[in-house]
Structures are given as C-alpha cells and as structure tokens.
Amino acid sequence: MNISIYVTGLLMGLSLIVAIGAQNAFILRQGLRNEHVLAVCLTCALSDAVLILLGVTSLRQIAGLLPWLDPVMRYGGAAFLAWYGANSLYSALRSSAVLTAAEAETASFSRTLATCLALTWLNPHVYLDTVVLLGTISTRYPGQQASFAAGAVTGSFLFFFALGYGATWLRPIFSRPASWRMLETLVAATMWIIAFKLIGGM
C-alpha cells in the first residue's frame, strides 16, 4: 500500500463528507437521541465503502450502461428529502411537552434502518461525492487506486462514528425543548435545500 496516496484518499474522503447534509443531519439526530447509533453509523460507513469501491473500479462502465439512473435518482431523492424535511418541521412546531416526551421514545430498529438506507441510497449527492468525484480523482493514481480507495473508506468510517458518538457531548445542550426545535428546523431546512438543488440540476 502506498501511504501517501492512502492519506490523500483519507483527506479527500473527509473533505467531501464533512459538510452538513441529509446523512450527517440524521446521524447527528440519532446520536443526540442515543437511538441505534452503532447500526446507523455502520450502515452509512459500509454504504459509503461500497459506493467508493464502485466508483474507483467501475465509474466509466456505469455511466455508459445506465444513462437513465441520474434523473431517476435526482427526482426520487428530491421527493424523499422534501417529505423528510416536512416531518422534521412538524416536529419542530410541536409543543414543548410533546417534544420532551418524544425524546424518551425510541423509534423501531427497522424504521430507523429504513430511513438511514433511504437517506443514503436515494440521495444523488452521495453518488456524486463517492462514485463520481472520488472515482474520478482515483484515476490520477493508476495502479494505486486500492490505496486511494482504502484511505477514502477509512475517512468515512472515522467521520460517521465520530459524528454519531461525539453527539453525546452535545446532549446537555439538547436537554431543552428549544434546542430540539432548532435542530429539527435545521434538519428540515437542510433536506429542503438539498431537494431544491437536486430538482434544479445540482
């Protein structure tokens, strides 16, 4: 393994994933609520790993074989994000008592996992960052793509688990219903902005 190319892949992966997006907002929320954090972080990290490897090994073939995939993912992802944003805004507008009670309620594992998978696999930005951008960058290192991919995959695992479990430190702040309202409003705004960008052509 080429260490310098591995580090390059690690830094590139982190730089693309660190911006707040649908995945990150969801992981932060799960971490704050302490709901299925391991499963959510692992699902996102493994999904990223699959997509990164797909981009590094098969980017050109995918673009040629599935020209219809882009519009399908774009509009389907936008619809899902708009719906998820509406749910978050509804949560933000509820009364203090309902918000406080909801904090103690744990969503089912299957529902949480389904939402996590949808936010990952129905979001074209995930494909843009992993398959397209990282796949394209990896072509600069012929014969060393494995090192680059390993670094990028490591970056995904580090970031997702740091975000999910690091959210524990923020729990005292979010013990107040007003903080939860702000978070849910931020999540709603993030989802809607991403949905708008998708419909507008990214």
Side-chain angles (χ1 to χ4, degrees):
M1 177 179 288
N2 187 306
I3 298 300
S4 64
I5 295 177
Y6 172 86
V7 172
T8 299
L10 173 65
L11 295 177
M12 286 302 305
L14 286 173
S15 67
L16 289 174
I17 202 173
V18 74
I20 186 167
Q23 259 188 337
N24 297 348
F26 180 72
I27 293 172
L28 176 61
R29 185 175 183 276
Q30 293 302 115
L32 288 169
R33 294 173 65 91
N34 196 27
E35 288 183 2
H36 313 298
V37 180
L38 175 61
V40 167
C41 293
L42 192 60
T43 297
C44 290
L46 289 175
S47 296
D48 255 25
V50 170
L51 292 170
I52 289 169
L53 293 174
L54 193 63
V56 170
T57 60
S58 310
L59 177 61
R60 291 177 182 173
Q61 294 91 324
I62 294 171
L65 290 174
L66 304 174
W68 50 265
L69 187 60
D70 176 69
V72 169
M73 291 302 303
R74 181 181 300 175
Y75 291 104
F80 176 80
L81 292 173
W83 171 82
Y84 191 91
N87 279 349
S88 294
L89 184 61
Y90 173 75
S91 296
L93 295 176
R94 287 187 296 178
S95 68
S96 299
V98 175
L99 279 171
T100 304
E103 185 177 312
E105 298 172 0
T106 301
S108 68
F109 176 79
S110 59
R111 180 179 177 182
T112 300
L113 187 61
T115 302
C116 182
L117 288 170
L119 287 172
T120 301
W121 292 90
L122 292 179
N123 185 358
H125 278 279
V126 173
Y127 293 87
L128 179 64
D129 289 346
T130 55
V131 178
V132 179
L133 293 181
L134 290 177
T136 301
I137 294 170
S138 71
T139 61
R140 300 178 186 173
Y141 309 102
Q144 298 292 339
Q145 285 99 329
S147 297
F148 181 87
V153 168
T154 302
S156 291
F157 272 84
L158 288 175
F159 178 79
F160 285 134
F161 278 89
L163 181 63
Y165 286 98
T168 302
W169 298 333
L170 300 175
R171 268 184 214 144
I173 298 174
F174 286 90
S175 62
R176 300 188 299 273
S179 298
W180 276 102
R181 282 200 191 93
M182 292 175 61
L183 176 65
E184 294 287 11
T185 302
L186 176 62
V187 170
T190 299
M191 301 300 175
W192 285 344
I193 289 171
I194 295 173
F196 179 77
K197 287 181 178 179
L198 292 180
I199 295 175
M202 302 170 68

